[in-house]
Amino acid sequence: MPVYHAPLKEMQFVLHQTLNIGQHYAELGYQDATPDLVDAVLEEAGKFTESVIAPLNRVGDEQGCRFDNGEVTTPEGFKAAYQQYIDAGWPTLAQPTQFGGQGLPYSLNLVCAEMQSAANHAFAMYPGLSHGAQATLMAHGDEALQARFMPKLVSGEWTGTMCLTEAHCGSDLGLLRTKATPQEDGSYRLDGSKIFISSGDHDLAENIVHIVIARIEGAPAGTKGISLFLVPKMAVADDGSITGRNGVSCGSIEHKMGIHGNATCVINFDGATGYLLGEPNRGLNAMFTFMNAARVGVAAEGVAAAEASFQGALAYARERLQMRSLSGVKAPDKPADPIIVHPDVRRMLLTQKAIAEGGRALVYEMASWVDISKNRTVSSEARQRAEARLSLLTPIAKAFLTEMGFEATSLGVQVFGGHGYVAEWGMEQLMRDTKISCLYEGTTGIQALDLLARKVLGSRGALLEGYCTELAHWWQAQTLPESLQPLRQQLLAHLQQWGELTQGIAVRAQQNPDEIGAASVDYLMFAGYVVLAHQWLKMALAADALKERDPDLCQAKQETAYFVFARLLPKAASHATLAAQSSDSLMRLPESAFGR
């Protein structure tokens, strides 16, 4: 099994060298979040993750969750580990102080979440979904509802979920059938069923708070009639005490490809008491508070998967002896050379490294924008700028980094060869566990439509133009060592191409809206490679300042940046070619001619 080690040096490099996180926190009023405190938190999070969470990864996969008489039991050791997680105060890290939180920045919590996901994806999902529930409650719940539910959610004694999907409707939420009936006391009675609810039921916490979309009787059809509700598994009195069972039950758990240690549930609401969040019929808008936070977190899961797979593959490639190097013997004292000397193994390892470290830089930067967007001490202009960046980059990061994270786990299996395909090495589990990240919180296709149709074309190009112009001006103003200047020119050319590609799609879409759907995924992947290259050039520039103090790190960053621009960024060209194609080849074949 791969042994996960928190990559603290890599994390600290991004936080301190590329983001100057200490200054960022000071400007936002987080006076306690000094660089020393940040490093101390990361070190403790690393120790906890490595010693408590990581050892349960294989156990969770092999045992899975059990469902018996309506009750869900998590794998052996999960409940005790979760209690240790609570006792150590990890759920409170970035939560509001008025409800018992430590009040530290969102971005610092995301770094800890990355460690947990890399070490044990299934376990990390239980507390992970609670953060979105809390953010939604804080944004759209009244003070009484917050006082009633937030303290136990913040402490981790209660967990949260998001209940959207129904058996007959996936991403088309306007088709939902779950109904909400007003009651005399101002609450609502909810009736319906939801499927694919991650962490929907378990034995880790005494209560589970569901964030549920439903339609109030008489509301308009479609998405205009969706409202959002808080529905606890156990009924809760005004003082926050549990009074008995609510009308919420688990109907079954799914038997899945991966994340066996996390319960994915059918949740039934049979006369359950719920509480309206936000305004009636405005639930879709309120829900995006949860969705956007969740999507940044899922992007971090792609990074985590790439990191875990890279660690396993790198250790194996250094030890596994196979054949001799094509350029001459490298280990004359051994019967064969370690496979890390072979070019194709290098290609796979460098791709994993590029995804993990470049993706980390992107997600951490986005998390710093979340810090700004949530902070009321900064100007409205600064918040709007951060929100605009997040609006454009969130679908790119979610889809691109999960697809690339899955590719990284596939490469990890490939590095191991036949050994990667058998369970004892743990590499195939990473691949199985990671695929879900490409699917939930909106599939890659859904993210691509969100990016191209809503964010880019929907803003008439304003979001994209603002971002690309800002990047271009910033790079033109930087003083780069001569070795990095050709990379800057490549990046600037791709930023210009991004705009030209967008204009071509927009013109075609005026005649045929199917052009948007036909181009969208390749368009997103093109954008992903460009954004990844931008992050790697930033890291290469930041590392250049350390060439005297840490020459090994400087070399690693700059050589990997050259690899990204030579071997990964060129893949953007094929996506651009495909995105520029007409939709005809996709849409001409009649449905009846597809086959039996």
Side-chain angles (χ1 to χ4, degrees), residues 289-302:
T289 301
F290 199 137
M291 291 289 286
N292 287 333
R295 284 171 175 171
V296 175
V298 175
E301 290 178 5

Side-chain angles (χ1 to χ4, degrees), residues 44 62 93 109 186 204 214 220 291 308 316 409 438 453 467 482 519 591:
E44 289 304 312
E62 292 180 339
L93 192 68
N109 186 75
L204 305 184
M291 291 289 286
Y316 186 81
T409 63
C438 304
Y467 178 71
E482 186 176 351
E591 183 274 331

Side-chain angles (χ1 to χ4, degrees), residues 84 149 176 222 280 299-300 389 457 543 591:
Q84 287 181 259
F149 288 94
L176 69 86
R389 289 169 165 180
L457 300 182
E591 183 274 331

Side-chain angles (χ1 to χ4, degrees), residues 488-508:
R488 172 170 58 186
Q489 293 309 117
Q490 287 186 58
L491 180 60
L492 292 173
H494 278 81
L495 290 174
Q496 181 177 345
Q497 186 183 10
W498 193 353
E500 294 168 352
L501 181 63
T502 304
Q503 291 175 355
I505 296 169
V507 169
R508 299 200 312 273

